[in-house]
Each structure stands twice: as C-alpha cells, then as structure tokens.
Amino acid sequence: MTLRIVTWNINSVRLRIDQVARFVSEYAPDVLCLQEIKCLEDQFPRQAFIDMGLPYMIIGGQKGWHGVAIASRYPISEAPILDVCREKHARNVAVMVKGIEIQNFYIPAGGDIPDRVLNPKFDHKMDFYERLTAEAKRRDRQAPLVLAGDFNIAPGEYDVWSHRQMLKVVSHTPIEIETLYRLQDAGGFADVLRDQHPEPMKLASWWSYRAKDFRVSNRGLRLDHLWTSPGLTPSVVKGSARVLDTVREWQQPSDHAPVVMELDV
C-alpha cells in the first residue's frame, strides 16, 4: 500500500479548518502534519478531523502561538517527543504509523538578526538544531523515520527567490545553511522534495502575505521539508513529492503551501 504524508504550516487550524477539510477531500492525505495550529489541545477541532476521515490524532498545543499536530487515517501509537526546545514551546509531536516513526517539527524562525549573541531568538533556533542533530547521531539509520515540518531554513541557492539578496536574511544565512546540512548529514537523511526535483529547478513553499499576488511577485522560500532516514528512503515513491502550491491560491490561505510525498509500506 501507499502512505501519503503531507506537511503544512496551517497558521491557525481553527481559522482555516474549512480549508483543511477541502484539502483533505481533494488531496486525500493519509497522515497530515500541521504546524502553527495556534491553540491548546482542548481547543483543537477534533470532530472536524474525525469527519474528514483522519480520526487518529496527537496534538501539542500552546495558547495563541506555535503548536503542532498529526492527524492520521490509520491507527497511531505515540513516539517519543524529543527534548530539543529549550523554551519548552509546543514545537514537536511524533507518532508511529504503519511501522514508521514520524517526527513533526515547527522549528523557531529565529528573529531578524543572524547573531547568537545579539539575538536570543536566533540563538534558540541554533540550539534547537544542535539538540536535534545530537539526537539524529544517536539514531539507528536503518529504522524507518520521517522528519517533517516547517524547518524555517531554505538551504539551497534554488530554494530562495534570490540567493544573493537572501544571504543576509534569516532563513538563508550561511550559518543556518551549514546547520541544516549538519543535521542532514548526522542522520543521513534524504531531502525528498529536492531529490525528486533537482537543482536548478526553483522550489518554494512559503510566500509573504505582503504580496498581493504571490505568483507575480514570486519571492518564495522553501521552508517546509520532508526527510527520510536511509532505511526508509528506498520506500519513497518516485515522482510523488511536490509542493501543492495551488492551495496557496485559496481565499485567505496560510502563507505556507502543503508539501507531499508517498511511501510504499
């Protein structure tokens, strides 16, 4: 069977629950990893997800900020929540589904100044990555694992609208790019979307709300990622990974578009 996994920074699940329902109806994800749900666990619209056919859920909520959730078509069991956020924000939830561990992250954006001393938010972002990298080094690479979510780093030259202009902007600075690749190397993870759409193809999953028409301004960043461990990478369905950017055209959308891949399980 095929398992379709989607990651989507929804930017308020309650505000966009009708969009989520439309998305599930049109794209039929089996596992939906959400970030920035912006609500507490008891405020999460569980019944709506049950009605969508995604009745199995794990939710990490926080009042008004952050928050992550996973909703699944298939039964889930809990996987370890990782101690990677020193501020104890709701930025990580995890499940086991069909024998695969899925870790869903909303990694800190890091503020505006790419300096760990001058900017505590940036230091927090780097600390989060360092803790996650240490965790990745301890893992069995053959164990089936997905890292999903809004990583808040667009690593490659073709993951940003302008490599030259973005090099001093948080999300694409050299220290962030090196940090992301260090995490990837620590676990031997495959960057599924980029592997299936090699450079120099431009890819983006986020566009600012400031642009009236995101396609015309075309100033996107690839901040949302789906990675697989070496033991799972051979199960990725060729040609299945893509950014569902038409969702960004919907009325009052999130500033992020969903990213999808499929696994043979």
Side-chain angles (χ1 to χ4, degrees), residues 159-200:
D159 296 328
V160 293
W161 64 274
S162 170
H163 175 62
R164 180 182 61 81
Q165 294 183 68
M166 287 294 300
L167 277 172
K168 294 183 179 179
V169 179
V170 171
S171 72
H172 190 63
T173 62
I175 185 175
E176 291 172 282
I177 295 167
E178 291 166 11
T179 297
L180 185 72
Y181 286 146
R182 196 175 301 121
L183 169 61
Q184 187 176 9
D185 290 344
F189 296 110
D191 178 350
V192 174
L193 183 65
R194 179 48 79 190
D195 287 351
Q196 292 197 358
H197 303 276
E199 295 182 342

Side-chain angles (χ1 to χ4, degrees), residues 136-145 182-189 228-234:
K137 289 179 179 178
R138 291 191 288 267
R139 292 293 186 109
D140 174 5
R141 289 189 171 201
Q142 293 311 304
L145 171 64
R182 196 175 301 121
L183 169 61
Q184 187 176 9
D185 290 344
F189 296 110
T228 52
S229 64
L232 185 60
T233 298

